[in-house]
Amino acid sequence: MSFDYKKEYKELYIPAKTPRIINVPEIHYSAVQGYGDPNEPDGEYKTAIGMLYTIAFTIKMSYKGSHKMDGYFSYVVPPLEGLWWQKGREDIDYAHKENLEWIAMIRLPDFVTKEEFDWAVLEGTKKKKMDFSKVEFFPYNEGMCVQCMHIGSYDEEDKTIGKMNQYLSKKGYVPDISPSRFHHEIYLSDPRRCAVEKRRTVIRHPIKEGK
């Protein structure tokens, strides 16, 4: 049976609908950084997602070719994730998505080294005849965070974030959004196939002890 990160690490990917504090270890991602409204039909974000899935499936299907990765195991491609921010703000202004900056990313299996990742980028470039230079090997260590399952529209995430902040206040913590620690979303539902009101999105925020 294929290894499924969502099932094996439920504390990271399947949180409750009530906020909880979690310590997130360093995880390696395939990532693309960009700017602008993610809903633009032919925008930078859509292109980035296509690149990430090309690399993800190049790695996943590598066992069928001549290039063998040490420690390879059968696995389910982890869900799409995103780090989001807007300059000069600690929150997200959903009315001005054109000002969004983001890092779109997909978790890499534990056996993927930087060298194997570089091979996958070159392989994807040859197969798709596209420039994959924006796709990076991205280690990210979030540390102490609060997270919660959000059900519904992305534009209504502020309701869930409000619950998270109330929970933090009771526990003696405060949000710690900064230029190196971001608003983090993990997409468990495909928006093309799931009704808006049923979308499941993990929302994760970095935190620190309150003064």
Side-chain angles (χ1 to χ4, degrees):
M1 184 177 291
S2 295
F3 187 92
D4 189 335
Y5 282 90
K6 297 191 300 300
K7 293 179 180 178
E8 299 297 330
Y9 296 99
K10 290 182 179 179
E11 70 278 12
L12 296 177
Y13 295 102
I14 314 292
K17 296 177 186 177
T18 53
R20 292 289 185 273
I21 290 172
I22 184 171
N23 190 28
V24 184
E26 180 174 283
I27 296 172
H28 294 170
Y29 294 92
S30 173
V32 178
Q33 183 168 338
Y35 182 91
D37 188 339
N39 296 318
E40 291 180 4
D42 298 313
E44 191 174 348
Y45 183 76
K46 294 291 193 299
T47 300
I49 302 310
M51 290 181 177
L52 290 177
Y53 276 107
T54 293
I55 300 305
F57 281 97
T58 297
I59 294 169
K60 177 178 172 62
M61 305 307 292
S62 62
Y63 74 96
K64 291 189 172 183
S66 59
H67 185 88
K68 306 300 180 184
M69 297 188 183
D70 289 342
Y72 179 95
F73 54 82
S74 177
Y75 67 98
V76 177
V77 172
L80 178 68
E81 307 186 34
L83 306 177
W84 301 87
W85 69 97
Q86 288 169 320
K87 285 184 179 176
R89 301 182 65 99
E90 292 187 359
D91 60 347
I92 302 294
D93 180 2
Y94 294 96
H96 291 283
K97 294 178 183 176
E98 71 277 7
N99 296 328
L100 281 168
E101 298 188 54
W102 42 262
I103 299 174
M105 54 196 198
I106 295 177
R107 181 175 183 157
L108 292 167
D110 297 342
F111 60 81
V112 178
T113 63
K114 176 63 166 59
E115 291 71 26
E116 297 291 16
F117 175 81
D118 290 342
W119 168 84
V121 171
L122 288 174
E123 189 72 4
T125 300
K126 287 190 293 184
K127 287 184 176 180
K128 295 291 187 178
K129 294 181 171 54
M130 289 174 55
D131 180 8
F132 280 81
S133 61
K134 284 190 173 183
V135 187
E136 300 179 274
F137 183 84
F138 179 55
Y140 187 46
N141 190 346
E142 288 184 274
M144 195 69 71
C145 294
V146 61
Q147 68 178 18
C148 187
M149 183 73 78
H150 171 73
I151 309 294
S153 169
Y154 305 135
D155 292 344
E156 295 180 351
E157 289 180 359
D158 56 332
K159 297 176 183 177
T160 299
I161 292 170
K163 289 196 304 182
M164 292 163 63
N165 289 340
Q166 289 177 3
Y167 172 80
L168 287 179
S169 180
K170 293 177 182 178
K171 293 292 184 179
Y173 290 88
V174 295
D176 189 29
I177 303 290
S178 73
S180 61
R181 305 186 79 199
F182 307 97
H183 170 90
H184 187 169
E185 299 178 3
I186 303 173
Y187 308 105
L188 302 180
S189 301
D190 186 339
R192 299 169 300 177
R193 299 184 175 92
C194 182
V196 172
E197 65 273 13
K198 295 182 179 180
R199 287 179 188 167
R200 296 188 306 151
T201 307
V202 181
I203 300 178
R204 184 183 296 164
H205 278 180
I207 63 174
K208 62 183 178 181
E209 292 186 1
K211 295 182 180 179

